[in-house]
Amino acid sequence: MTLRGSTATVFGQNMTEANVVNVDSSEAAAGLNTARRMIEEGITPPAVTTFREEESWNAFLGGNAVFMRNWPCVYGQLDNEGSRLTADQVGIAPIPSAPTARATAASVGGI
């Protein structure tokens, strides 16, 4: 499977050529297929593939996302004016993983 990206690394792998990364494991392909299904089934908006930190904050704090993977600093934004959520409505949990996965893990940076 080949992905096109806009950064020097994607999913912790160095690009093999300008803006291309090869995903060469069935586990990585399964993860990407899960992400694609979430878009196809309407769980996630199609624009999520281009979200940067601010877009994900806005969707979550505006009450338009069930979960968000981001930096802990967003938690401090929950009670601010403009947020439709309060800190007592939000929980923090490990990143979900497949039942066969050994453990959850974060990717590089805020991606």
Side-chain angles (χ1 to χ4, degrees), residues 44-55:
T44 300
V48 74
T49 62
T50 62
F51 276 12
R52 295 176 83 61
E53 289 179 357
E54 187 173 349
E55 289 91 352

Side-chain angles (χ1 to χ4, degrees), residues 57 60-63 68 72-92:
W57 291 8
F60 185 72
L61 296 173
M68 176 184 66
C73 63
V74 178
Y75 192 78
Q77 305 293 322
L78 291 168
D79 291 319
N80 287 351
E81 186 177 333
S83 174
R84 295 183 62 194
L85 300 172
T86 61
D88 62 328
Q89 294 175 300
V90 175
I92 297 174

Side-chain angles (χ1 to χ4, degrees), residues 1-3 10-11 23 26-38:
M1 174 184 286
T2 301
L3 290 175
V10 174
F11 301 108
V23 177
S26 60
E27 294 86 0
L32 292 170
N33 285 328
T34 297
R36 181 181 60 197
R37 271 195 321 276
M38 287 193 291

